[in-house]
Amino acid sequence: LAAFVIFSIVRIVQLQMEDTAEEEEQLLTNVAVQQVSRGDVSVVSPVSGRISSSNAVNVIPLVSGEVKEVFVEEGDRVSEGQILFTIDNRVAQLQTDQAQLGIKSAQDSVDALKKSLERMQSLYDAGAVSKSDLESIETQYQNALNSLEQAKLSAETSSTSLDYYTVKAPSSGCATTVNVVAGGVAAQTSPAVVISDTDTLELKANVSENLINCIAEGQKVSVYIKSLSAEPYTGTITNIADAPAQGTYTYDVKIALSDYKDMKAGMFAEISIVTENRANVIAVPSNAVLTKQGENYVALIQDGDKIELRKVTIGIDNGTVTEIKSGLSPGELLVVKGQNYVSNGEQINIV
């Protein structure tokens, strides 16, 4: 009986110890780890721009006035010579009509003076009038001829000017911009319509002075057009302005696109400019780096299940990956999940 009692007590103690061990194991912090390795770290700055034709024609009317009718909308295909819009030409038409009346009046004067000259010549030949009388009529006739020519030139100018009130497409292409509406005013200071050759597209972007020295002509860049694809297109920088655009601190940059599929002039795009790049460096997830009292640390696994908080020196950080300049070696086990909940020397559970 005594032996049974002793056995029972020992067994109860063993069970209690096992329960305590299970509880301690359950209290261990779960962490996820990965091996430290080398990689590339790049800091990228996005810049937005707009796709346009590399061969675009600005249609600026040669006269100003109220727009009567508009025959084209943005996105329409137009042919050379097609009427785009008309401008109120009533005043110009009146001037043209007056010029035609001027021709008729000048012609009547010429006809009348010609007859007078012929009669005067007959009288002069008969000795009935003096030479000065004849020369006077000749002068009047010549002046009338000059006035007729001037009237014809004025009429031709008026007629030509009248054509300016009907604005036509100078070339074929796509009307990518239409800045006039019926009832509005067409001015000679800005394009009323922009016609683009959509077979040749490029991206135009404005790059700040902080980034302009990070790019160069001939450089390849990634172009993102979210309306078309999540995958980037490839572009090549073809031109960088030598000076900022007037009134701004940004430089005009042109980027040739290698694939026009589904692209349309006017679409917005974003390019990624690499401002810093480090190749073949020790790189870790940015959220694996802890900051305590102004110092940077990472959590490493030692002896299989122990935490070591080690101070590191970081380099560039793009928000996803951070360069580690010192403090880590490839192959070490880095805590990438749960690192915010562990302390130096703590025993953990790797999951």
Side-chain angles (χ1 to χ4, degrees), residues 241-254:
D242 294 328
Q246 185 175 6
T248 73
Y249 294 100
T250 60
Y251 294 76
D252 292 337
V253 175
K254 295 181 180 180

Side-chain angles (χ1 to χ4, degrees), residues 142-207:
Q142 188 59 50
N143 289 339
L145 287 175
N146 293 339
S147 296
L148 177 59
E149 288 302 314
Q150 185 62 46
K152 289 180 178 179
L153 288 174
S154 296
E156 184 179 352
T157 301
S158 296
S159 178
T160 301
S161 298
L162 191 61
D163 292 339
Y164 296 160
Y165 291 82
T166 300
V167 182
K168 299 179 181 180
S171 61
S172 300
C174 177
T176 52
T177 303
V178 177
N179 292 324
V180 289
V181 294
V185 175
Q188 295 174 265
T189 55
S190 60
V193 179
V194 178
I195 299 175
S196 301
D197 177 7
T198 53
D199 291 333
T200 56
L201 298 175
E202 65 182 7
L203 175 61
K204 294 182 179 179
N206 298 319
V207 178

Side-chain angles (χ1 to χ4, degrees), residues 4 38 43 60 71 77 83 98 107 119 133 135 164 182 188 222 224-225 236-237 241 244 268 276 301 306 313 316 347:
F4 176 74
R38 292 186 175 274
V43 176
I60 300 176
F71 302 100
R77 299 289 304 182
I83 297 176
Q98 290 175 338
Q107 186 65 59
R119 286 196 302 270
D133 291 334
E135 290 175 345
Y164 296 160
Q188 295 174 265
S222 296
Y224 294 87
I225 306 174
T236 304
I237 297 174
F268 285 94
E276 291 185 271
I301 302 298
K306 296 291 191 305
T313 302
I316 63 173
Q347 186 178 6

Side-chain angles (χ1 to χ4, degrees), residues 85 91 126 209 232 272 326 349:
F85 62 95
V91 173
E209 60 181 7
S272 296
S326 65
N349 181 48

